[in-house]
Amino acid sequence: MTTHLTRNEREKCVMARVQRGGRRLQENFSIKKHGSWEAAEVAARQWLAPILPTLPPMPTSKDRMTKRNHSGVVGVHFTDGKRVLKSGIEAEYPCYIARWPSCKGGVSFMLSTYNGEDNAFLHACICRKLETKDRAAVEEAVRTLSPADRAALLARKHPAQPV
């Protein structure tokens, strides 16, 4: 099956659907008219071929806010960091984690290590912005933040919500 094509078995058709830049285009290709699933898919691909180049490029999710975002900054989220220690005791290590598409696992900034929630949040935001795992570079960038930039970042922060 090709991107933008869906077999609608209930309605016995192939749906060609694409949406970009606020435009949604859809056309159905029935099995009754085209004779088989494969023939309907070929017709759908032929319909899509001249349309796709005219549409804007696919948007990336890199800097797009989603409803999954709970911190207020894309790519930064809070976790309570609950862990069970070898002794069997449950401990909490709350932190903010910065993630970006090429970063597996993310970079965490614990509230206790970075002197509270606000500083941990700032470090995670700057880490996400720079897209680096280099903590020294992040620390330097946070240290050189202007008071206005610091206040603007903190104003975007939503209250930490346990995951």
Side-chain angles (χ1 to χ4, degrees):
M1 209 29 115
T2 308
T3 306
H4 308 298
L5 300 183
T6 305
R7 282 188 179 186
N8 184 339
E9 295 187 12
R10 181 176 178 197
E11 300 296 327
K12 295 184 174 55
C13 69
V14 173
M15 295 187 308
R17 187 183 308 163
V18 63
Q19 178 175 334
R20 287 197 213 145
R23 287 180 59 197
R24 180 181 304 173
L25 302 165
Q26 177 180 332
E27 190 71 31
N28 294 330
F29 299 87
S30 71
I31 304 307
K32 185 176 182 180
K33 179 179 177 184
H34 295 283
S36 69
W37 287 107
E38 293 75 21
E41 287 175 7
V42 168
R45 278 192 215 99
Q46 288 173 346
W47 179 79
L48 277 171
I51 293 172
L52 290 176
T54 65
L55 298 174
M58 289 283 290
T60 63
S61 62
K62 180 179 173 187
D63 294 318
R64 187 173 16 151
M65 288 289 281
T66 64
K67 57 184 167 182
R68 294 181 312 193
N69 184 293
H70 296 286
S71 73
V73 175
V74 174
V76 174
H77 75 275
F78 177 80
T79 181
D80 55 17
K82 288 184 180 177
R83 300 180 191 156
V84 177
L85 305 177
K86 287 181 182 179
S87 64
I89 298 171
E90 189 174 291
E92 289 187 17
Y93 297 95
C95 63
Y96 278 95
I97 299 176
R99 288 189 177 144
W100 53 95
S102 63
C103 176
K104 293 192 176 170
V107 182
S108 64
F109 297 91
M110 291 185 4
L111 276 55
S112 59
T113 306
Y114 290 91
N115 299 320
E117 189 176 327
D118 287 349
N119 276 335
F121 178 77
L122 287 172
H123 281 77
C125 290
I126 296 301
C127 181
R128 171 63 162 91
K129 181 179 176 186
L130 298 177
E131 293 187 1
T132 181
K133 291 185 175 186
D134 182 2
R135 291 180 184 271
V138 172
E139 186 65 43
E140 178 65 21
V142 170
R143 194 177 58 72
T144 59
L145 270 177
S146 70
D149 289 341
R150 181 180 294 267
L153 274 175
L154 290 174
R156 293 173 60 187
K157 182 179 85 140
H158 296 171
Q161 299 173 356
V163 176

